[in-house]
Every structure is written in C-alpha cells, then in structure tokens.
Amino acid sequence: MKKTSAAKKKPVKKAAAKKRSSAPIKRRKAATAKPAARRNAPKRKAATKPAGLAKAAKRPVKRKKPADLLKGISDIRRFFHRNEVPLYFISATNFNLLGADEWIKGFKFITYIDCFDGLHPNLMSPRTEEPHEEFQSIEDINNYLLTHSEVRDYIESRRMSNRTAGKALFLMFDEKTEALAKKAGLEVIFPPAKLRSWLDNKVNTNRVAEKAGVPCVPYVLSPVKNHAHLLQVAAKGKLGSDLVVQTPYGDSGHTTFFIKNEAEYAKYAKEIEAEKECKIMKRINCRGAAMEACVTRHGTIVAPLMTELVGFKELTPYKGGWCGNEIFADTFTPEIRAKARRYAKKFGDQLLKEGYKGYFELDYLIDTDSGEIYLGELNPRVTGASSITNHAAFALADAPLHLFHTLEWMDVPYELSVNALNRRWADPRNIDSWGQMVIKYTAEDVQRVTDAPRSGIWRMRDDGSIYFWRMDTHRRYVEKDNEAFFLRITRPGDWFYEGADMGILVMRGRMMTDDFQLTERAKKWLAAIRGQFKSMAPGAHGTNGHEHLLEIGGFKMM
C-alpha cells in the first residue's frame, strides 16, 4: 500500500482506533445509499480462525542450537583431528580400516597379525602367544585379544578416566566380545551383536529387502530335506531346476551352492539339510557389484558402486568366492548406478527402522540378460571393500565413510546435508579408478612359509619382475601404473593351506576387462607377488626361526 503525503491525510477519528462493532455504521446522506437487499441482509459474524490455525499462526519459538554443534563436514573433520577419546579397531589384521588413524587423533589398531613387522606407528600386536583354544572364527581371535595380558595393559595405559577406557570397532564380534569389551571399559561402537547376527542371516536379509522395496533374485525360503524336496520347493516358486542354494551364515564362497542335478546336490547335502531354512534362488547369468553405505541420524550416506572380482581360479579356490573389487566412474551403466544408489538408500532407511545404524555393505547381482539389478546379500559391518571406499577421491575430498559411522557414537550433535553429500559422491569427477585383489593360496597341499614379501609399495620393471620400493601403511601414495601397494597377511613361519589369505594387492586403474576377465597387467602383478613367497613341505629342514604357528583354519580373515 503506497504512503500518502501529510497534506492529503484526513484527521483520524478516535472511533477508528476502536475495534469495529457489529452495529451498522451510519453513513452521510451524501453517500450513495446501499440497495435495500444489502441494507436488510443478515449481519455477518466476525470471521474467526480455527483454534489449530490460530496457534500455527504464532511465530515458532527458535530453539537455541547446542554450543558444541558440529556444522557440516569442516567441523566434523576438525572434531576428529582434536579427538581425545581412545579409539580402537580390534581384528585379525588392520586391512579393513587402513588409514583410519590418519583421520582420527588417538585411533589405534590392535591386531593378531602384524602385517608391518612393527613399523606401523599406530598398530599394537601382542609379542607373545598366550594359551588359547584353536581359532574357529575372527570372533575367537578378537576374544583372545581382549583377554591377552599385553592388550589389557595397553588399553589400561591409555584409559582416559575411571569411567571409560575408550571405544572399539570390530570387523566381527559376538556377545562374548561385548562382555569382554565392557569388562575392559570399552564401548563397542556398532549395533548389538544379536541384531547384527539376525541381519547377517541371508534369509532375514531378503525379508528386510521386501520391507524396503528392494528387489531380490526370484527365490523361496524353505528347509530342504533332500534333492527331490528341493525340486518341489523350486517348482512352487517357478525357479526352474538350475538353482543356487545359500545357507543362512558364512562367506558366500563357502555357503553358496550351485546345483543342476542330484550329483551336485549330494556334494553339499549335509550342509544344506542341517539348516532350518535356506534361500533357494533361480540361477541367473550375472555380474557381481558392491556398494557401501552408512545409516546416520540424518539419512543414509551412499558410496559409489564397485565391481567385484568373483571366483577367479588364480585368486581363490572357492567357486563364487569374493576376491577383490574395482572402483571407477563408469561402473556398469548410469541407470544401474542410479538404481543401486536408490536401493541402498531405501535399504538403509529400513535398517534404521529395524534398529540398526552405522556402516553396511550390499552385494548386488546384475542380470546380464535382462539388465535388472538385484540384492545379493547384506554385510552389516565394515568389509573387505572398505579400504577401497575410504581411500577414494570422493572420501578424501569430504570424509571417509567410516568417519560418519564413528560419529554416530561420539556423543556430539552435528548437522549434515546427506542429500548434498550423496550428490557429490555420485559425481563421476569425484571417483578415481582403483582395484584390489585378495590373493589366497589355491593349492590343496600344506606348506610352511619360509619367506614372504613385505607390506608397502612395490614397483615393476619392464621385464615384469618387481622390487620393494618403500614401506607405507596404505595405498594412497601409489602414483604410477608400475606401482602397487601390497599388504602381507601370511608371514614367514605361517602355514599355506587351501584358502589361506596370502595378502592384498592394490593398484591404480582397472584389474578387469569390460567382459570381466583379469587384465594382463593384473596377471603380471599377481604372478610377481606370488613369486615373492617361498615355502616348503611340513617336516622339511630350513625354517628361518620366525615360526608363528598360526592355526590352519578355513574361516575368512577379512
């Protein structure tokens, strides 16, 4: 409304200041008379707002933000660089969270195997072996570490108060681990083992996927009594006779069975029939893919899609067994990448409803015939792919995924635009190209290792031979195609057996061709690293005095 000059303003009558009454106002005779109909119209009541709207119209009270509120990525990074709470990753090796100590002040690794021969500045590994039962799992290793006198003394020496000794992450843990950690004064910064175990069940994963609206390969959940019963169950689900059967728990290379006929079923009948319920799937022609994500209070953060190295005989003795990953901008098609991100977000949002928060990984199966993308399985934890995810360019530009996981347990309020972060992480310009191979011993014999390559950066000569260049704790400083980072798992004095983890080789660029075969460069590096190991049959002479007596076991170390 425009203002008028003072000269043109009419004097305001006192009556105008009062609220308008319901009585009719007398008009001057000069004014035009209202039509009779309007004069005689019933009096209107003053309009009143409904009670709810009246309240809504009030100005909302602005809540005062906490003084310690972290406002975005910069504050979050500063918070961890100034951290005073002792933080630990306790596991067989430190492979899964390589480099985490460079992001978080006071972060230490406690491991059973020292991959760096005492040269890692933030890694503690017991020097002496104390009596224990034979290890059957990583959980057993972690429980042993938490009871080891050297580890207990080390944690106690860094205790920040009588109340707490810090916080701990684990690759794998059970309820016994939780009890031992509590006894040591450590808070486990993962959802409870009971919930993780329930989600880790491949059968339950499909149930969660159904709630989330994430598609799975056509399947049926059922116990299996024999081969004939398997075919009956498959027929009801219209799955055909070429089937894939998964038992609820375990590494996919050990617990995924490909069955075309009764003879193939007989090989795995004991394992399958022992389960109360199995996942029975239609067999499809597919490629493996993986995506890591993190459930936070502000939403699900989703990392880029990775390809998977699966079942290569040069790398693993297990058919269908995971043996590495690649990350690069053009993984599959833009449509598949977008679907994978959408499904991961939906799955993460459903996990939050199930009571889960923090780090998780989804394995996808991409049907090469139809182009459809299906959920394969869930890993509610950091994984073997985490090292690739957390060292990629998008993570270095903002913050690694494990940092957002840890933040959920640091008792500090924070603000974060998850949508903006996810958009940046989906941008091809923020995704550099890396690959890793997990190298297992593939022969069926048993050998004692007498020599093994050191962890660090290696270089390849023009003739295909390699040499150790320098020690490093992760792959960030690999610059050229003739360089690679190797993390040694098997040490001199350990045993080679079928499926033993020898080490992890990480390189810039791709390790597979577009038709998912190992590149010639990858094959050269694989042969060269294998050539650095020396071993001999049990009972042979010539050991080097560094025997560690690592038990022979078939469980996954990473």
Side-chain angles (χ1 to χ4, degrees), residues 299-332:
T300 302
I301 300 170
V302 179
L305 189 65
M306 295 177 278
T307 59
E308 285 194 322
L309 280 68
V310 178
F312 285 108
K313 293 180 180 178
E314 302 95 325
L315 293 170
T316 178
Y318 307 119
K319 187 177 181 180
W322 169 79
C323 48
N325 295 91
E326 296 176 308
I327 188 168
F328 58 101
D330 297 324
T331 312
F332 299 103

Side-chain angles (χ1 to χ4, degrees), residues 28 46 52 96 113 117 129 151 158 179 183 205 208 236 295 444 459 526:
R28 292 180 182 177
N96 308 87
I113 300 171
D117 303 317
E129 193 83 9
V151 173
R158 302 183 71 239
K183 188 177 179 181
T205 296
V208 176
K236 288 181 181 178
V295 179
E444 295 181 357
R459 283 180 169 174
L526 176 58

Side-chain angles (χ1 to χ4, degrees), residues 55-312:
K55 287 181 181 177
K58 290 183 180 179
R59 198 168 200 164
V61 179
K62 202 169 185 179
R63 291 184 180 179
K64 192 175 181 181
K65 293 184 178 181
D68 58 345
L69 177 69
L70 305 180
K71 300 176 182 177
I73 298 292
S74 179
D75 279 5
I76 291 169
R77 289 171 62 139
R78 186 199 68 232
F79 170 79
F80 280 108
H81 283 310
R82 300 188 66 180
N83 171 62
E84 295 295 334
V85 179
L87 286 164
Y88 302 96
F89 177 60
I90 303 174
S91 195
T93 76
N94 67 328
F95 164 63
N96 308 87
L97 288 180
L98 287 174
D101 54 315
E102 296 178 10
W103 286 90
I104 306 174
K105 179 187 173 187
F107 190 100
K108 305 293 181 182
F109 299 103
I110 298 177
T111 65
Y112 181 69
I113 300 171
D114 183 356
C115 302
F116 297 92
D117 303 317
L119 297 177
H120 194 298
N122 290 309
L123 186 146
M124 182 272 176
S125 186
R127 293 176 178 274
T128 58
E129 193 83 9
E130 294 185 348
H132 59 84
E133 294 181 2
E134 184 177 335
F135 297 144
Q136 300 294 328
S137 64
I138 295 181
E139 290 90 335
D140 288 347
I141 292 176
N142 290 337
N143 295 340
Y144 164 75
L145 288 170
L146 286 170
T147 58
H148 196 288
S149 59
E150 291 179 43
V151 173
R152 290 202 311 268
D153 290 346
Y154 179 69
I155 292 172
E156 194 61 29
S157 70
R158 302 183 71 239
R159 177 182 283 272
M160 60 184 295
S161 69
N162 292 329
R163 186 173 54 85
T164 178
K167 302 173 187 282
L169 298 104
F170 298 89
L171 174 62
M172 302 284 193
F173 64 92
D174 53 23
E175 291 179 20
K176 183 179 179 180
T177 317
E178 289 175 323
L180 290 170
K182 185 177 181 180
K183 188 177 179 181
L186 297 173
E187 178 190 0
V188 177
I189 54 175
F190 259 108
K194 189 174 182 179
L195 175 61
R196 288 217 322 174
S197 179
W198 187 87
L199 290 169
D200 211 13
N201 183 319
K202 294 177 177 63
V203 171
N204 290 334
T205 296
N206 279 45
R207 293 191 172 107
V208 176
E210 286 179 359
K211 292 182 190 177
V214 176
C216 301
V217 176
Y219 72 96
V220 173
L221 303 178
S222 173
V224 178
K225 298 175 183 177
N226 49 50
H227 182 250
H229 182 238
L230 173 66
L231 293 179
Q232 288 175 10
V233 172
K236 288 181 181 178
K238 299 180 181 179
L239 305 179
S241 58
D242 193 356
L243 303 168
V244 180
V245 179
Q246 278 191 325
T247 51
Y249 293 102
D251 177 29
S252 59
H254 296 269
T255 59
T256 302
F257 310 113
F258 300 88
I259 299 170
K260 282 184 180 180
N261 51 53
E262 192 168 3
E264 289 182 345
Y265 176 84
K267 297 177 188 175
Y268 318 115
K270 187 177 179 181
E271 294 98 314
I272 293 171
E273 292 170 15
E275 298 295 340
K276 292 180 180 179
E277 198 172 30
C278 292
K279 182 164 68 170
I280 302 154
M281 297 176 285
K282 176 184 177 180
R283 189 170 182 179
I284 62 172
N285 297 315
C286 62
R287 300 297 186 195
M291 179 172 272
E292 295 198 311
C294 184
V295 179
T296 76
R297 69 194 71 171
H298 298 295
T300 302
I301 300 170
V302 179
L305 189 65
M306 295 177 278
T307 59
E308 285 194 322
L309 280 68
V310 178
F312 285 108

Side-chain angles (χ1 to χ4, degrees), residues 496-526:
F496 276 154
Y497 52 89
E498 186 181 30
D501 289 304
M502 300 172 71
I504 299 98
L505 187 67
V506 189
M507 300 186 297
R508 284 189 175 275
R510 294 200 60 186
M511 291 184 163
M512 292 190 295
T513 62
D514 288 340
D515 58 351
F516 286 74
Q517 300 301 314
L518 289 178
T519 63
E520 288 303 313
R521 174 169 162 258
K523 289 178 181 178
K524 282 183 181 179
W525 269 102
L526 176 58

